[in-house]
Each structure stands twice: as C-alpha cells, then as structure tokens.
Amino acid sequence: AAGSAFLQQAAHLTGGLHFHPKKSMSALQHLLQSLSADTTTRKALSVHQPLGVDFRASCFCHKQAVDIGYVCCVCLSIFCRQMPKCLICGTEFNAAQAKVSATVARNGASAAPN
C-alpha cells in the first residue's frame, strides 16, 4: 500500500478510507463518483478497501517504518539509529547510559551497571 503510513492509520482509526491514486485524474474521478452520490447510493458503490494497515512506527530522521528503534526520553521521538542528540528537542544523550541500556537489552533485565 502506497502513501503515508500516518494517513493510513488515521483513516483506519476513524473508520475512513485511505486512497492514494497513481494519477491525479483518477483521484478526481474517484471523488466525483463516490462523493457526488447521495448516502443511499454510496452504500451500494464498490469501494476499494485496503488489505492492511502498517502500524509500525516511523523514524523521525528518514520517515521510514522501523521494527525496533531508539526513543527520546523527553519528547518520545523515534529514531532508526542511536543519536548523540535528539534531532527534535535537542536533548543530549549520555553515552555511558546508552552502553548500559544496550548491555541490559542484550543480556536481559538481570544485568546491572557497576
């Protein structure tokens, strides 16, 4: 499914329809056919339903969907790689804390810093 993952999620949550036309004329045709009809006729029209919605988060640096990412503890921005500083709010991350967090993530919750 092409288009914005955010718009797909918003349409799904509000019971709407996300439509991403390949050509601008097909968007006009779709709008004229489905929105100019009265409500009774609209129910009878065949409307394209998406196969699925991608609920993965998108990184703030590349706008790509990520399965696992790094989250800023201040503004909750998501990044695909570890950053020395948050690109959104400017919070500087402590490198020592990042190493401890990575060790805990690798070894499980029982690992503790010295």
Side-chain angles (χ1 to χ4, degrees), residues 20-42:
H20 186 80
K22 291 184 172 93
K23 297 178 184 176
S24 61
M25 289 306 290
S26 62
L28 178 61
Q29 180 182 3
H30 176 75
L31 289 172
L32 288 173
Q33 286 179 344
S34 57
L35 299 181
S36 62
D38 60 28
T39 55
T40 307
T41 308
R42 276 189 219 166

